Amino acid sequence: MLRTLIVAGAIVGILAAGCGPAPADKPTSETPGGAGSKLRIVFVPKSAGNPYFAEVSKGLEKAAKELGATVETQAPTTADATSQVTTIKDAVQRGCDLLVISANAPDTLNDVLDEARKKGVTVVTVDSDITGNETHRDASVLPVDQEKVGPALVESLASLTGSEGEFAILSAATDAPNQNKWIAGMKETLKNPKYSKLKLVDTVYGDDEMQKSTTEMEALLTKYPNLRAVVSPTSVGMGAAAQVLETSGRYPGGPKANGTGIVLTGLATPNQLKKAVEKGVVTKFHLWSPAEMGEIAAHLGSMLHSKKVTADVGKTFDVPGMGTKTFVDKGVVYVGPLTTFDKSNIANFDF
Amino acid sequence: MTVLVVVAATARDPRFLSPQTLDSVLLWLPVLLVVALGQMPVIVTKGIDISVGSTVGLVAFSVGLIGKVNPSLPVPVLFASGLALGALLGSLNAVLVAIAKVPPVVTTIGTLTAFRGMAFLVAQGKQIDTNNVATALTDLGRNGVHLGPITVNWLLWLAFIPGALLAWVLARSAIGRTVYAVGGNPVAAALRGMDVKRILFSVYIWSGACAGLAGVLYLGRYGFVSAASAGVNLELNAIAAVVVGGVPVSGGSGSVLGVLAGCVLLAVVNVGLSVLGIAADWQLLAYGAVVMAALLVDAVGRRAKESSVVAA
Amino acid sequence: MSRRDLVPVGLLAIVLFVGSRLSARFLDAPYLLDTLNLYVEAGLLATGMTFVIVCGEIDLSVASTTVLVACVVSKFLGPETNPVVLVAMSVAIGSLLGLVNGALVTIGRVPSFLATLATMATYRGVAQAWLGPFSAKWPVMKGLDRAHLGNSPVPWPPVIWLLVAGAAGLVLHRTVFGRQVAAVGTNAIASRFSGLPVERTQLAVFALSGAMAGLAAVFLGSRLGVVRHDLGRGLELDAITAVVVGGTSILGGQGSMAGTVAALLLVAAAKTAMGVAGVKPEVQVTVVGVLLVLAVLAGNMAGLARRKAPTQA
Amino acid sequence: MSSLTARGLTVAYGGVEVLGSVDLDLRPGELRAIVGENGAGKSSLAKACSGVVRPVAGVIEIDGQARFFANPREALDAGVCLVHQEPLGFDDLSVGENVCAGAWPRKSGGIDWKQVHNQAAACLQRIQFDIDTRRRLASLSAAERQAVELAHGLARGARVWFFDETSAALTPTESARLFAVMRQLAAEGCAVGFVTHHLQEVVEHADVITVLRDGKLVGVLDKGSFTQADLVKLMVGRSVELDSPSAHKPGETVLRVRLLCVPGAVQDVSFEVKAGEVVALAGLVGAGRTDVAQAVCGLSRYRGEVEVCGQDVRRRSAAARWREGLALVPEDRQHQGLLLPLSICTNATLASLGTFSKVGWLDNIGIRSATVEKGKELGLVYQSPDQEVRLLSGGNQQKVALAKALLAKPKLLVLDEPTRGVDIGAKYDVHTLVRQLADQGVAILMVSSDLPEVMALAHRIVVMRKGTVAAEFAHQDATPEKIIAAASGGDSALAS
């Protein structure tokens, strides 16, 4: 009992002692950046160790240089829904004017984002939005018009397969909102009679883990002997799928191709697939420019923060060097069309 | 147990029993097997090494980086550096457990976190992708010895090296028998003049070295390493495989063949869940249930054995 | 008597001091109190875990239990509910899941490490199978939807945690049950030979750990407003870390609730201090791992110096 | 000349000196007994000489050369071997590996298995044991395990032997065989020292006797120069006599055991214990006596009936039986009887926490005062009631175990080898206590291998052999010869 008291006393004592001088430089009073002070941008990606977000970061830094702002990237070590909460709280406490975040889950950040905004922080989501909870952020910069990704993927698939045969989708987690939206878009597009011979046989989930994605991809090859194609709208999934096709030799022209072989397309960062493209395992795939996304987010955020623009439908703003961007519904801005990577251009990219 | 799972799976979907599935299982095995082989002597000495998952991740990334910077390095050098780095990390556990006498669970939970953090620091936000990995290394998973329609990939052959070594050491060598002795009765081992400290030290280094090797195998198998996900939860799978393979957590006994069987079971279950098309949302549940069933079968078997000993 | 639980208190003081040097914005009482909210779930799990570890067992399934309880409760209760019903239901389901662990250990005779390793996957698996990829809305607790006590900046979850931990500490150190837990953790055979209800004690600690996980679900749910199957990954390691750094012997028998609380505050303070100072999360992870080993090492050294006597005396 | 000479050996645990500046000379061809009460430092002396504990002062010389042993291995290498009371060994390894443990013959990197088994068989044969060296150690009997222990010393080429209460767990036949081996070793030129509590063994076998008291050397006696009574006086500093049981005033039947069967150990055992009566279960080790005691206490599965105070307790757990007035002091103090790292208070009141609590809250003051009081009653020697039990001597540990049983206020007390490994003084205290309890009307079931103890305490003696009741005697009808005859199936010639 005595020990408990000692411990409790020590804690209270330390807290009390520590809190003494704090009011002198009460952080909350100076958090909202005045017009004259440097804009402080904090970027919270989904998780650490992902070069895709390193590209976004690069774009942010480029814009920050132009804006005279500072950028700091704080990536949680695990990509789960709660890990970003701590990171955001600490960033806000340290001092931040513009929070750029790629949300891991659509609905767990509401409180912490509200709190940040109450303290004068502008919140812009990039890459993945908090769908269904848009009121808790100021604006969102998304890669491409979500509605256009599905059709684009189907079209790419059709051009590679001659619009016929069985195909499967290898996605990330079952609850990744972007992925699900794109898959829904693909299914919608497939209803078009011109794709009637393309048959989606299965959708599997690799959780964006190499091992899981590989196992799922291998299982697909076993389950569907007549498989003609695989679409994977995620980097890790495509990387794993390419690896499996190469190992099993079932890519078009591979040693075990059984006729035309299995084609692979989807969305991925180019570095991941350079070798596969060079070897002919993969013909083409797509992605937008993550760096541009970061650049737009920084400029837009800075304008929102200084109230130079409001995120209303149809309002437009200019991004230096990228022309005019328009807000669509719910404060969303799209970056632009998909880039296609193939043998001819892949060497020019490094991310 | 493995047979049961295979029969059940085949009954559900005959496609399960295809060469392609077998190839998947064989490709799934090497990394887990090597980590489990490392774990086994640790568990035999009543210890545990939870840090191996992070060791695999850190080594896979570091070796990937070495290969990226010096693309001309021959593959054996990559394996050697993986082994050396793994052993180095293992020796940190060894010092803490054998010399500083920190309980193994605490030590390795600590290093689990620390090694993962180090992997992030080494990674600097980058990842290793196929682009950076020597083709000679990734080819080890693509080629192998063809036995009829099945390909026994080179990675698995490489995994058999520590397996054979461990089997020989445990069954035949003085150090191996001492491992069993220390696990069976540590007090007696000390009084019999055995160097308990040295044995503990060795098993943790062995575990680290195996995890290091597994890291290179991981690199060869997937050609892609992300600091955040490489080797995550591998320690739990490895421990489960060892225990399902008949090594009691109370130490003192167990065989390498049993561990192999445990790994095969887990590999079959994991591949099977995907091949059978168990919905993604149900896979974790199915996996947990199978592991639990294996443990219960094991416990019932143990009970039967105990009562027969009393009767004898 | 062990003094190992004073190690985290000392370290806590150092961390607070260093933290205040690193950033002037660290020692800000409302902020620190607010941040403490984030550690309440880990704190509750650690409170239950202290009993389990003192009893010579381990419970790796706690985080999964929390998530499963959260999923079940949010499916069963409406959008608004009476806090008493909510807490009672969460704690009841949590205890039930804990009892399953206990039954596996006592009746199934599966070592707790493995039994709870299996239920760790199974419980989360059930949660995932049940909710699928979706979030479920957490019921709003009528009358308790404000985050703070009255108008003060003190948030209520940490206060409740400290009260629960205090009560749990009294139970552990001052009651017959606590004495039985320590006895069973020291030597289960001798306890059985002394007429202690060994199996019942083991069942009880797992149930208690499950109950705490259930209570943690209430806090997790009300903090986030929604629950999903993938919340709280790795929370079990945080809980075990706090217990062990707090001076409880991983071998069972000896432990201190005050130490657990101090250690959890230590981890919270260390992470927060680093976060405010702009230390990257990946570095934070490394530091916390090293801290765990160092704290135990420091305790070990003190312990070794204190008694050099071999056990065969 | 001496094989081993120790001068001024001092051993301290946690700052407490347990052996103070003791000298010892072991000469080749000689059997030396080391005797003393528990806590006198006998075991510490043997351990200090064989590298198990490090002395804080003193010198050890082997064949005239000063040696320092940092660990048991260095002592073994120098030819000093300590044989423990409980055989050490590795259940999952073979007999051959156990015999050669720690120094397996090597061949090209691996173990030379042929050599292992040959060497082990040869060592076992030297002491007239014929055991298949490929069997797992777990499958051996206690005596065979002991033989493996001895063979291990032989394999390591030991020339100085210490036996630390090695005969305590053996039957008279086995123990006679052990002393024959010791004599053989001495005849082969080894120096032998043995630690024992059995004064009979000392009188019969020792050539020279070292007597310790409270960690000090109090005398060195030569064979034939003393009587058993002299020896006891020297050991305890006072004279002790063993008595016969108190006047028999049997009350109602407290324990009735009918047709008890424990699978694999006990067959159809029936007997009764009345209030105020001491019933001894006699017999050889392995006859099933402990199994009966544990079944009665609800610690193992059984068939048949166990009635306590007229109620069948089949469905009651061990805990419930304690609550109904059944208390046990088990044979194995260290593992079954006590929680060694916890305090005296905690241990003493462990079985009676209900008495020392109110609605679940511990009454720490009551616990402390009850412990102190019971300790005084039992003559417990300790520094503080908060002291860890592991720091107490064997006799005092046993008293804590007894205190725990007594604080539960038992109607039936089950004592399993209550004085095993306990010194003469404590043994006397325990005997006095048993008599007092019987006088107070407590029913006592006692398992004992110590025949004088059985004769001194029991009103009735149930002799077991191979899991069944071989005979039952009233005290006045019993003689040690009859008991041994019944226990060993008529083979009384081997009785000591």
Side-chain angles (χ1 to χ4, degrees), chain B residues 9-299:
Chain B
T10 315
R12 203 189 135 122
D13 187 342
R15 278 175 299 184
F16 181 76
L17 214 59
S18 69
Q20 173 73 46
T21 311
L22 206 55
D23 279 347
S24 296
V25 171
L26 294 182
L27 275 167
W28 208 91
L29 260 180
V31 173
L32 176 69
L33 180 60
V34 173
V35 174
L37 286 170
Q39 190 75 238
M40 183 211 167
V42 177
I43 293 184
V44 169
T45 60
K46 295 182 200 283
I48 199 148
D49 186 352
I50 304 178
S51 70
V52 285
S54 296
T55 310
V56 168
L58 176 54
V59 170
F61 204 102
S62 311
V63 172
L65 207 60
I66 293 171
K68 185 181 177 182
V69 177
N70 315 294
S72 56
L73 276 184
V75 171
V77 174
L78 295 182
F79 274 102
S81 48
L83 275 173
L85 185 55
L88 186 72
L89 296 172
S91 67
L92 190 61
N93 286 330
V95 168
L96 288 167
V97 172
I99 296 174
K101 305 240 182 291
V102 180
V105 176
V106 183
T107 302
T108 55
I109 285 182
T111 47
L112 172 83
T113 335
F115 292 167
R116 180 63 61 190
M118 279 156 73
F120 281 116
L121 297 183
V122 173
Q124 296 288 337
K126 300 266 170 35
Q127 61 196 23
I128 299 292
D129 30 54
T130 33
N131 201 19
N132 314 126
V133 183
T135 322
L137 189 58
T138 47
D139 278 349
L140 292 175
R142 299 195 174 125
N143 306 324
V145 177
H146 300 281
L147 299 171
I150 309 156
T151 310
V152 181
N153 60 79
W154 292 118
L155 294 176
L156 191 55
W157 290 108
L158 282 169
F160 285 149
I161 297 175
L165 183 67
L166 184 67
W168 183 84
V169 165
L170 285 183
R172 299 273 123 192
S173 78
I175 194 164
R177 302 315 286 174
T178 315
V179 166
Y180 283 116
V182 167
N185 191 341
V187 176
L191 291 174
R192 282 281 192 261
M194 296 173 185
D195 197 335
V196 176
K197 210 181 264 185
R198 206 180 70 189
I199 290 296
L200 288 183
F201 209 85
S202 317
V203 294
Y204 284 93
I205 291 188
W206 164 260
S207 171
C210 280
L213 176 60
V216 186
L217 295 180
Y218 184 99
L219 188 66
R221 163 80 170 108
Y222 300 112
F224 169 88
V225 189
S226 133
S229 71
V232 167
N233 286 342
L234 195 54
E235 64 280 354
L236 300 182
N237 278 324
I239 292 166
V242 169
V243 175
V244 169
V247 181
V249 261
S250 50
S253 64
S255 76
V256 171
L257 273 182
V259 172
L260 178 62
C263 290
V264 170
L265 173 68
L266 288 198
V268 167
V269 169
N270 266 293
V271 172
L273 287 174
S274 301
V275 172
L276 293 183
I278 306 280
D281 286 327
W282 286 83
Q283 288 192 359
L284 185 62
L285 173 55
Y287 174 72
V290 170
V291 172
M292 195 127 80
L295 289 176
L296 282 177
V297 167
D298 178 58

Side-chain angles (χ1 to χ4, degrees), chain D residues 53-69:
Chain D
V53 299
R54 272 187 233 182
V56 292
V59 232
I60 296 168
E61 290 177 7
I62 304 291
D63 294 334
Q65 276 201 306
R67 303 294 289 265
F68 169 76
F69 304 135

Side-chain angles (χ1 to χ4, degrees), chain D residues 173-191:
Chain D
T173 323
E174 289 163 355
S175 135
R177 198 167 173 183
L178 177 69
F179 277 101
V181 171
M182 286 193 205
R183 188 51 76 187
Q184 180 194 339
L185 289 171
E188 287 170 9
C190 295

